Amino acid sequence: MPEAMAVVEGPTQFIVDNRAEVRQHVRSQLEQGRATVIVDLSRTEYVDSAGLGTLVLLNKEARAAGGCLVLAGLSEHVRDLLRLVRLDEVFTIAATVEDATRAATAC
């Protein structure tokens, strides 16, 4: 993986109780100059509205820093949720972390 990229592993449940922890992990990578942060959601089974809001905020922050946030490994449930609220059109989404490293070049 290129040095300008980092992977942050998502929690099993991405909810109001742990959103600050995820936000801090991603922000710390951006602050270290990572142009691309891949959020690996392959273990994530559930995302609540706070989790979605956090992803939107982080996507905005990554773009403002000249970088890119890529979501990888979405379960069918999480993918359907993003599609339902039309966030699948906002995020760069990849099937796997490996695919996300290639997708990041198009950000």
Side-chain angles (χ1 to χ4, degrees):
M1 178 172 308
E3 209 169 293
M5 291 185 187
V7 177
V8 172
E9 196 168 298
T12 307
Q13 306 277 314
F14 193 175
I15 55 175
V16 68
D17 294 344
N18 61 14
R19 68 181 174 174
E21 185 181 331
V22 175
R23 187 170 58 227
Q24 185 51 44
H25 285 308
V26 173
R27 281 183 175 162
S28 119
Q29 294 301 324
L30 291 170
E31 288 165 3
Q32 290 176 40
R34 303 288 193 264
T36 300
V37 178
I38 299 164
V39 180
D40 180 3
L41 296 174
S42 58
R43 293 182 329 122
T44 305
E45 300 164 1
Y46 178 78
V47 179
D48 71 3
S49 59
L52 283 178
T54 300
L55 289 173
V56 170
L57 175 70
L58 291 170
N59 191 46
K60 228 181 245 189
E61 288 179 7
R63 288 177 187 219
C68 178
L69 187 78
V70 181
L71 306 182
L74 278 61
S75 69
E76 193 173 327
H77 170 73
V78 174
R79 184 178 295 278
D80 287 346
L81 177 63
L82 289 176
R83 197 174 297 126
L84 180 70
V85 294
R86 297 192 175 218
L87 287 175
D88 60 328
E89 299 169 11
V90 173
F91 291 105
T92 301
I93 299 173
T96 65
V97 170
E98 187 177 296
D99 289 345
T101 61
R102 288 190 292 272
T105 59
C107 288

